[in-house]
Amino acid sequence: MGQDRTALVIGGGVAGPVAAEALRRAGIEAVVYEAYADSAEDVGAFLGLGLNGIDALRAVDMDAPVLDRGFATPRMVIANGNGRVLADFPNGGTLPDGTRAITIARPDLCAALREQGEQRGIRIEHGQRLVDARATSEGVRAVFADGSTAEADLLVGADGIGSATRRAIDASAPEASYVGFLNTGGYARGLDLDTEPGVTHLVFGKRCFFGHVKAPDGTIWWFANPPRAVEPAPGELAAISPDEWRSHLMELFAEDRTPAIGAIEHTDRIFAGWVTYDMPSVPTWHPSG
């Protein structure tokens, strides 16, 4: 492959651009291959980014734009469906400069990282879904769904729970397992909720788990974990309309003394649901030899 070391990074979501920048700093030229035809920035809802994640971004100078787009969430409160507080504790500690854990919309996180990658000259190839990867005498060859290929000295997988990279490395790698509940949520606007901004509230409701946090602008970011014994078939959740989600959630939270009903009523668009998986420890991280 010549004197310059090269890498293929599979996945252009959260981890891909960060991995590519870390490789670039180590003197390895990396290209990111993303399965979506365009950016995947409209995929997903919001998430909490802990200090370990922020510290990892800081190691490659990619933390500042992420922190600018999120808001600090330094405390967590756990309660039951009757409103009784069970615990109140810090959401991690602080970094030396006082930085705390944050909550950020996944599209904003992906956009910030993609923009940082572009500014540093990292190339992202869209519409390239990995289907196979094989070692060659000089490195590795990746094969994509459209029949195209790419070669480099090494390949790094950042392609999520259903990683094709993981299967290519170890065909017997354990699969992710369904944990028995789904995810949905939304952004409630105009709800006068007397809670402190930045405090994450987690509620063990009688029939469904509920979480919410007030953003600095007063919007309530919330999520719910509707239980479901059997994992939905592919495409099944996408067929559920927002009105059906709304009705189902209202029923699940009807007996709880929580802000869940108000949050649902004040949300214009409820997220399309997605499945929750547990990812077992992966025994093989790279091929031997």
Side-chain angles (χ1 to χ4, degrees):
M1 305 301 293
Q3 293 182 347
D4 295 332
R5 300 278 288 173
T6 57
L8 314 175
V9 177
I10 308 302
V14 175
V18 180
E21 171 60 11
L23 289 164
R24 187 186 70 85
R25 292 184 173 222
I28 302 171
E29 180 185 354
V31 177
V32 177
Y33 292 84
E34 166 57 44
Y36 284 88
D38 200 346
S39 71
E41 290 166 14
D42 59 344
V43 177
F46 60 87
L47 53 89
L49 185 59
L51 294 183
N52 56 344
I54 294 171
D55 210 24
L57 294 177
R58 185 161 292 180
V60 291
D61 296 324
M62 297 177 82
D63 58 307
V66 171
L67 293 173
D68 286 345
R69 299 189 190 208
F71 59 92
T73 44
R75 265 179 56 221
M76 304 185 81
V77 175
I78 298 178
N80 64 18
N82 293 322
R84 183 165 69 90
V85 173
L86 306 176
D88 186 333
F89 54 92
N91 183 15
T94 61
L95 293 177
D97 65 350
T99 298
R100 308 295 298 267
I102 67 168
T103 293
I104 185 170
R106 188 184 184 280
D108 287 342
L109 174 59
C110 288
L113 297 176
R114 177 186 55 78
E115 290 167 8
Q116 285 290 297
E118 289 177 348
Q119 291 173 14
R120 300 167 197 214
I122 295 171
R123 195 169 95 241
I124 301 179
E125 296 287 345
H126 292 284
Q128 297 290 81
R129 182 175 297 278
L130 184 75
V131 294
D132 194 17
R134 298 184 181 182
T136 69
S137 60
E138 295 183 327
V140 64
R141 177 185 295 113
V143 181
F144 301 99
D146 63 359
S148 63
T149 63
E151 296 188 30
D153 293 305
L154 69 153
L155 180 145
V156 177
D159 46 347
I161 290 176
S163 171
T165 309
R166 185 170 63 249
R167 291 194 299 272
I169 292 172
D170 180 8
S172 62
E175 297 288 338
S177 58
Y178 175 58
V179 300
F181 61 83
L182 310 175
N183 286 274
T184 187
Y187 301 107
R189 295 177 172 84
L191 177 61
D192 186 14
L193 197 58
D194 186 21
T195 60
E196 182 182 344
V199 177
T200 301
H201 294 263
L202 305 173
V203 182
F204 289 93
K206 294 179 176 65
R207 299 180 61 193
C208 186
F209 190 82
F210 176 71
H212 65 93
V213 59
K214 180 189 285 188
D217 67 355
T219 301
I220 306 300
W221 298 27
W222 64 272
F223 69 91
N225 297 138
R228 177 163 176 154
V230 179
E231 180 180 356
E236 187 175 348
L237 294 183
I240 301 175
S241 71
D243 286 342
E244 289 173 322
W245 274 116
R246 192 182 305 274
S247 177
H248 182 49
L249 292 171
M250 295 285 278
E251 180 182 350
L252 289 175
F253 291 117
E255 299 177 10
D256 291 340
R257 295 170 54 194
T258 73
I261 295 293
I264 296 165
E265 291 175 337
H266 284 78
T267 298
D268 291 335
R269 184 181 68 85
I270 294 177
F271 301 141
W274 65 96
V275 178
T276 309
Y277 294 102
D278 176 62
M279 187 65 235
S281 178
V282 179
T284 304
W285 287 77
H286 59 83
S288 58

